[in-house]
Amino acid sequence: MSSASAQTATPTCIAQVALDLPIPRLFDYHAPELTPADIGCRVLVPFGRKQLVGVVMQLSHSSAHALDKLKPIAAVYRDTPPLPAELLRLLRFCSQYYHHPLGATVLAALPTALRRVQPVQPKSVTTWALSEAGQQLHEDAFPARALAQRALCAVLRDGQPHSAATLAVVGSSYRSVLRRWLAQGWVTQSSQPARLNPITTAADSAPTLTPAQQAAVTQIGGQFNEFYACLLHGVTGSGKTEVYLHLVAQALQQGGQALLLVPEINLTPQLTGVFQARFPDIEIATLHSGMAEAERLTHWLAAAQGRARIVLGTRLAVFTPLPDLALIIVDEEHDSSFHQQDGLRYAARDVAVMRAQQRKIPVLLGSATPALETWHNASSGRYALISLPQRAIATAQLPTIRLLDTRSNRPEDGLSSQLLSAIEQRLALGQQSLVFINRRGYAPTLMCTECGWGAACTRCSARLVLHLRDQQLRCHHCGHVERIVHACPDCGNLDLKPGGFGTQRLEDTLARRFPAARILRVDRDSTRNKDSWPAMQKAIRANQADILVGTQLLAKGHDFPNLTLVGVINADSALYSPDFRASERLFAQLMQVGGRAGRASVAGEVLIQTQFPDHHLYQLLQRHDYAAFAASLLSERAASGFPPFIHQAVLRAEAPQIDTALAFLQRAKAAAPDADQVTLFDPTPAAMSRKAGLERGLLLLQSPSRQALQRLLSAWMPSLTALKSAAVRWHLDVDPLEI
Ligand code: ADP
Ligand code: ZN
Ligand code: ZN
């Protein structure tokens, strides 16, 4: 009400604006023209000598700064709807929880196009529809030889507006016919927003649900309009997608929007096809980082305006404004790609749960191998647990898992004789095999047989990976590339040997062994081109490949009906890892990749080459017993005080010298306020201490209480920000995936 400003008679309106700056506060500007309806709007503001795009977070009548020093905002962009209050609240929460500046958090949630200093022009397309007079036309009214007119009439008869893209099927002459019909008043022309995802497959109707699916749909469907977090634990092939489709249908029926998060860009086209076929009349927005800027903006806007009723996207889609959001689904919720590893370091699955809680709607987390944290939440009753214990297709059984002991039966060139003969059998039967190894390139290293030298990256503490096809040694951590050396730089020996196996080497071995087979390698190298992986998937489904060799890209969520054999190479290496999550990840990965086998009527088989066939991980895997494995991991973690029984945060620092990084962390530790229940460990070098030319150190904090940890972090941040060290870059990682 009262205004401190003497210059104006009316109350001064001050906008608190979020700007993309590494400064943890909002910035005040005079904004007399703004009303509360403008909260969430993008504005252009002067900042120093520049102009920046920001978001209005709040309006106020006072400022902590002298009013006559405040500048006015330069422009208000009303080209897009303001971010809804619900989303702003979520972003505030994320900023606080992940201890990332609010402005940077808010701006990171916007598509790039909306961060630019210019208003946006959403794309629209011209469409044509039959007018009332045109509705009276029938194709038979045209002479038999007037093919274009008859065809055009047939297409337009549905009364819907059609764009050039769909009318072009008539032939190139459709334009001249349209011109004549427009003149005659038979069609009307209008400009509409473009359809987001054209329908490429025939409409599809829902199959009868299995009893387990029906029970899941009934239970979750009864929880709309309240917060309800639920883990859908369904074995591979149990038909989780069908449960999602039914629940989305319910959300739509109630006038709601549905958000489905998936881990991989690669999974979105396939899933979009499935959803578009089931909901042909519904606009589906897809959002992922691989989209062109303009395209992403179009989809984001359609969601924000409520035109798109379904949103499918990767982690960043969790921040999409959705005015009618009624349901969130996180598919493959265990997947590590839900974690953003730079800038705002967040876990999209956790943010999804928070968003559902704030909005009071159900959130469904689906997986055959839930993250241990999620499993713990479900078994302790914080989340509901619904299981789909069997495959949806009655004839499809879970695959048989066999452990091939590589101590008694040594593999030659990476592949054991049993695996080779199993592949041979599949070839004879016309079925597909998959050889899974989690390493791309030819071999993980190039070594000297004399002195033990191994090619190493000069910028990282890591080996260089041999890429024989390109005659290169490559660092998979920093991207550094060298030509292959042919003599040992240490002793001059000419006998350098590849050490270990990668996808390319297995591909070569298989090609030598099965010269007639069609072999397809699927890894990040072979799918670098944006369209190559979708094309490969099509080829695999069309049975144009006999043997697939690939990394985890192949393990995720795909349905290849003719694939009946999966061979796993070099899984043991994860058993040696110092990372306490390595065995959880290995189990999940093997269960997922094994789940690709035998999804149709032919039984599948999984062969795992291992030196430790008696290891309890493999034993439980063989029994498909996720629950028992999770229980054993949970008791180990409880005993040794690891998450989910303890909450962690890591302060990471990098500098040209390790001593600089560690000294910074030491000062940071000294600056930490006293806090009970929180343990601050001593700074140590990271497991991979050198990366891309920088030395990396870390300081681990943990606490049995999430609140206590958060309190300490909040109290600590100001002093951390005040610690000046020019050579050091640092950031905080809350709930880190790796330490
Ligand atoms: P998941 O995602 O749980 O691994 P999918 O959703 O891919 O499993 O389903 C596995 C297969 O079962 C798919 O081919 C799907 O079409 C089929 N399916 C799912 N539900 C049913 C059902 N109720 N009746 C018949 N087939 C089904
Ligand atoms: Zn040597
Ligand atoms: Zn490197």
Side-chain angles (χ1 to χ4, degrees), residues 207-210 213 234-242 331-332 388 392-393 557 559 596 599:
T208 312
L209 294 180
T210 64
Q213 285 172 325
V235 297
T236 53
S238 60
K240 292 185 285 296
T241 314
E242 202 51 56
D331 189 26
E332 311 291 354
L388 303 176
I393 300 176
D559 207 0
R596 301 311 113 207
R599 289 170 67 92

Side-chain angles (χ1 to χ4, degrees), residues 694-712:
L694 289 173
E695 299 288 340
R696 311 183 312 156
L698 61 85
L699 165 57
L700 174 65
L701 299 89
Q702 60 184 38
S703 171
S705 153
R706 200 189 286 279
Q707 286 76 15
L709 180 61
Q710 280 293 331
R711 265 198 309 276
L712 177 118

Side-chain angles (χ1 to χ4, degrees), residues 146-314:
L147 292 177
Q149 303 191 41
R150 293 176 68 109
L152 200 61
C153 189
V155 177
L156 288 173
R157 275 201 66 80
D158 63 3
Q160 299 297 317
H162 289 267
S163 67
T166 50
L167 295 182
V169 295
V170 167
S172 55
S173 57
Y174 81 98
R175 284 199 174 271
S176 60
V177 179
L178 272 179
R179 251 194 315 277
R180 264 181 285 140
W181 287 12
L182 262 174
Q184 262 160 316
W186 289 351
V187 294
T188 55
Q189 180 176 319
S190 56
S191 177
Q192 303 214 335
R195 204 182 154 88
L196 301 172
N197 280 295
I199 300 169
T200 49
T201 45
D204 157 50
S205 60
T208 312
L209 294 180
T210 64
Q213 285 172 325
Q214 185 58 59
V217 170
T218 309
Q219 184 170 343
I220 303 159
Q223 310 290 331
F224 274 93
N225 308 317
E226 55 188 296
F227 172 58
Y228 177 75
C230 172
L231 167 62
L232 180 67
H233 176 222
V235 297
T236 53
S238 60
K240 292 185 285 296
T241 314
E242 202 51 56
V243 173
Y244 303 158
L245 285 161
H246 274 76
L247 290 169
V248 167
Q250 283 192 19
L252 298 180
Q253 245 161 33
Q254 303 187 4
Q257 287 172 297
L259 170 64
L260 174 63
L261 300 178
V262 292
E264 290 279 314
I265 297 173
N266 289 322
L267 290 176
T268 51
Q270 191 189 338
L271 208 59
T272 310
V274 171
F275 272 74
Q276 200 66 83
R278 184 65 61 83
F279 304 108
D281 302 329
I282 300 289
E283 283 277 33
I284 299 179
T286 43
L287 287 167
H288 57 75
S289 57
M291 292 167 84
E293 198 176 294
E295 199 189 4
R296 185 163 150 212
L297 173 66
T298 306
H299 284 242
W300 186 92
L301 260 182
Q305 292 162 339
R307 188 162 64 84
R309 305 307 293 175
I310 303 175
V311 174
L312 298 181
T314 52

Side-chain angles (χ1 to χ4, degrees), residues 130-136 185-186 188:
L130 287 179
S131 65
E132 220 164 286
Q135 295 281 353
Q136 312 308 319
W186 289 351
T188 55

Side-chain angles (χ1 to χ4, degrees), residues 525-697:
D525 297 312
S526 72
T527 58
R528 190 139 287 161
N529 179 325
K530 159 173 169 301
D531 300 320
S532 51
W533 181 213
M536 285 184 191
Q537 292 180 54
K538 218 179 253 170
I540 298 170
R541 263 189 228 107
N543 242 339
Q544 289 160 2
D546 303 310
I547 306 176
L548 318 176
V549 182
T551 56
Q552 48 164 352
L553 263 187
L554 269 174
K556 292 180 180 178
H558 304 291
D559 207 0
F560 301 130
N562 198 34
L563 180 73
T564 60
L565 173 71
V566 171
V568 177
I569 314 299
N570 199 29
D572 288 347
S573 57
L575 299 175
Y576 305 116
S577 171
D579 181 351
F580 71 87
R581 283 198 176 86
S583 57
E584 175 187 349
R585 259 196 313 265
L586 175 64
F587 191 86
Q589 213 164 54
L590 294 182
M591 221 171 192
Q592 295 286 350
V593 73
R596 301 311 113 207
R599 289 170 67 92
S601 51
V602 192
E605 192 179 24
V606 180
L607 303 181
I608 299 175
Q609 297 188 173
T610 174
Q611 293 188 48
F612 311 106
D614 299 326
H615 196 287
H616 81 289
L617 185 149
Y618 293 128
Q619 291 294 317
L620 292 172
L621 185 75
Q622 204 164 28
R623 285 189 255 138
H624 303 281
D625 201 342
Y626 169 85
F629 183 67
S632 80
L633 279 186
L634 280 173
S635 64
E636 274 174 32
R637 300 254 188 110
S640 44
F642 278 125
F645 299 96
I646 203 130
H647 304 278
Q648 297 180 321
V650 180
L651 179 67
R652 302 183 201 276
E654 20 177 75
Q657 309 294 332
I658 189 67
D659 291 346
T660 320
L662 293 177
F664 172 84
L665 293 170
Q666 201 62 57
R667 281 164 58 213
K669 187 179 174 188
D674 281 337
D676 42 306
Q677 293 195 70
V678 183
T679 312
L680 278 81
F681 290 83
D682 282 330
T684 58
M688 199 179 112
S689 65
R690 190 176 169 76
K691 186 172 176 185
L694 289 173
E695 299 288 340
R696 311 183 312 156

